[in-house]
């Protein structure tokens, strides 16, 4: 089954729900980055959040999320462009658990830092805002982000489940957005449901679809607005890295050519290798300043 997300409105249009299954995205990310479970959980949760947030933007607008809480994982970097996500963590080899055996994502991410969200809306300057990390568990940190920087009350759940071999088995997330004129009564009704709902990754593991999850949260009374297919997609190319090399300038390129060997560049987002031979570099030199 493809990864996808559903957007629905419910409770007389006073509540909006985004629910996503991101199992394939998180499996793919773990595979290409060779990640241990705690690193894979932290990146998977952030990729899921980015996928949801990307559908709130217009097509073509890029969102970048950077999370660095000073923990052993280091920086988490995720980019999303309408329904397409890519990302990586500084340290893919983190496997930390709490006393109860659960993955210690909060400890691995840390809380000594911020979430930074950069939105490139195609204007002159990208729009950037950041909020402090609360627990490093990602979902709670994004609740705080939406409240502090967008003044929107949200309830966010993000989860990645692993099999006995430590491989991603299920992943997904939901975001519940409360409209400004939502009655108190609806909010308490919603709070009760959310306090009793199972973790999102368990729901997906039971075979629940995004529609089923929306139905659970809305008590079966919802209107589907949109279904969006989601995917892990890296749009890197040799041309793009060429532009990066050209921007280093003539002097730097001449030094590289003088070493008389091939240069290998790895894409951080998808781990694809690009080889630049001496002749490639000489060609780039003609375009450099
Ligand atoms: Zn790439």
């Amino acid at each position: 089954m493809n990864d996808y997300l559903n957007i629905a409105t419910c409770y007389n249009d006073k509540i909006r729900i985004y629910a996503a299954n991101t199992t394939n995205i998180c499996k793919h990310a773990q595979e290409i980055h060779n990640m241990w479970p705690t690193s894979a959980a932290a990146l998977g949760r952030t990729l899921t959040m980015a996928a949801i947030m990307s559908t709130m933007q217009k097509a073509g607008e890029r969102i970048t999320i950077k999370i660095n809480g000073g923990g052993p994982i280091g920086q988490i970097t995720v980019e999303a462009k309408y329904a397409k996500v890519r990302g990586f963590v500084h340290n893919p080899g983190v496997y930390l658990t709490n006393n109860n055996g659960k993955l210690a994502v909060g400890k691995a991410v840390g809380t000594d830092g911020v979430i930074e969200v950069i939105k490139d809306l195609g204007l002159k300057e990208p729009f950037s805002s950041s909020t402090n990390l609360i627990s490093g568990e990602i979902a709670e940190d994004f609740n705080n982000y939406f409240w502090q920087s967008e003044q929107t009350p949200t309830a966010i759940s993000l989860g990645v489940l692993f099999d006995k071999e430590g491989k991603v088995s299920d992943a997904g997330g939901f975001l519940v957005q409360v409209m400004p004129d939502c009655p108190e009564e609806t909010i308490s009704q919603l709070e009760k449901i959310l306090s009793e709902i199972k973790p999102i990754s368990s729901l997906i593991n039971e075979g629940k679809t995004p529609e089923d999850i929306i139905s659970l949260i809305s008590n079966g009374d919802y209107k589907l607005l949109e279904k969006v297919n989601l995917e892990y997609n890296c749009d890197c190319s040799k041309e793009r890295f060429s532009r990066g090399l050209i921007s280093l300038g003539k002097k730097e390129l001449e030094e590289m050519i003088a070493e008389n060997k091939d240069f290998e560049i790895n894409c951080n987002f998808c781990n694809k290798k690009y080889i630049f031979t001496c002749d490639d570099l000489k060609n780039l030199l003609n375009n450099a300043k």
Side-chain angles (χ1 to χ4, degrees):
M1 199 177 67
N2 280 339
D3 285 350
Y4 70 93
L5 162 149
N6 266 136
I7 309 170
T9 171
C10 53
Y11 296 96
N12 296 318
D13 296 338
K14 300 295 185 236
I15 305 283
R16 185 171 280 226
I17 307 173
Y18 297 75
N21 183 330
T22 54
T23 303
N24 293 319
I25 288 173
C26 295
K27 276 184 179 172
H28 183 71
Q30 184 180 32
E31 223 172 86
I32 55 171
H33 295 309
N34 217 347
M35 283 184 291
W36 289 33
T38 315
S39 294
L43 182 61
R45 290 179 191 181
T46 312
L47 285 167
T48 303
M49 190 69 241
I52 293 173
M53 286 170 77
S54 78
T55 63
M56 298 173 179
Q57 304 295 124
K58 291 196 196 85
E61 295 178 351
R62 188 191 292 274
I63 309 178
T64 305
I65 297 171
K66 291 179 187 168
I67 300 175
N68 196 339
I73 282 183
Q75 182 164 300
I76 304 169
T77 309
V78 168
E79 285 187 8
K81 218 176 186 180
Y82 198 80
K84 292 184 167 72
V85 291
R86 58 177 196 165
F88 62 95
V89 293
H90 181 72
N91 184 358
V94 179
Y95 192 7
L96 258 183
T97 52
N98 287 315
N99 293 335
N100 60 9
K102 289 210 167 125
L103 293 175
V105 175
K107 243 185 250 170
V109 172
T111 53
D112 186 18
V114 294
I115 286 187
E116 188 185 6
V117 177
I118 303 151
K119 292 181 183 172
D120 189 349
L121 312 177
L123 306 169
K124 232 180 191 168
E125 291 285 321
F127 166 86
S128 154
S129 63
S130 54
T131 52
N132 287 329
L133 287 165
I134 302 291
S135 65
E137 294 283 341
I138 316 288
E140 203 180 345
D141 304 301
F142 271 102
N143 267 326
N144 181 53
Y145 167 82
F146 277 100
W147 179 241
Q148 299 280 340
S149 73
E150 312 207 346
Q151 282 76 49
T152 317
T154 55
I156 298 169
S157 176
L158 304 165
V160 183
L161 206 65
F162 293 82
D163 64 17
K164 287 197 189 82
E165 279 79 48
K167 299 272 173 254
V168 172
S169 61
D170 305 274
F174 66 72
L175 180 147
V176 180
Q177 215 172 31
V178 180
M179 299 297 138
D181 56 347
C182 182
E184 275 305 318
E185 199 190 317
T186 304
I187 295 178
S188 8
Q189 213 179 330
L190 184 70
E191 277 173 347
K192 188 171 182 296
I193 292 177
L194 291 174
S195 69
E196 290 164 356
I197 203 166
K198 285 187 194 168
I200 177 82
S201 51
S202 308
L203 291 171
I204 290 172
N205 180 255
E206 287 169 10
K208 299 262 190 303
T209 63
E211 291 90 329
D212 294 334
I213 292 160
I214 287 170
S215 178
L216 275 174
I217 299 171
S218 63
N219 243 333
D221 183 17
Y222 62 91
K223 240 187 344 232
L224 284 182
L225 300 176
E226 220 175 318
K227 180 180 170 180
V228 183
N229 288 321
L230 305 172
E231 63 170 324
Y232 193 104
N233 178 291
C234 188
D235 55 358
C236 68
S237 62
K238 190 161 182 181
E239 207 234 310
R240 212 177 240 219
F241 283 107
S242 298
R243 271 180 271 153
L245 286 169
I246 289 169
S247 71
L248 291 175
K250 261 201 160 89
K251 195 168 167 273
E252 191 93 2
L253 282 169
E254 275 164 353
E255 279 170 22
M256 289 168 79
I257 292 164
E259 286 185 41
N260 200 19
K261 60 175 193 191
D262 291 352
F263 274 85
E264 189 182 296
I265 301 181
N266 251 28
C267 174
N268 283 330
F269 289 99
C270 69
N271 254 335
K272 209 163 154 185
K273 284 185 186 41
Y274 292 94
I275 308 280
F276 285 87
T277 63
C278 238
D279 284 339
D280 287 337
L281 294 174
K282 280 175 192 161
N283 279 333
L284 297 180
L285 187 64
N286 296 329
N287 297 310
K289 280 181 190 150

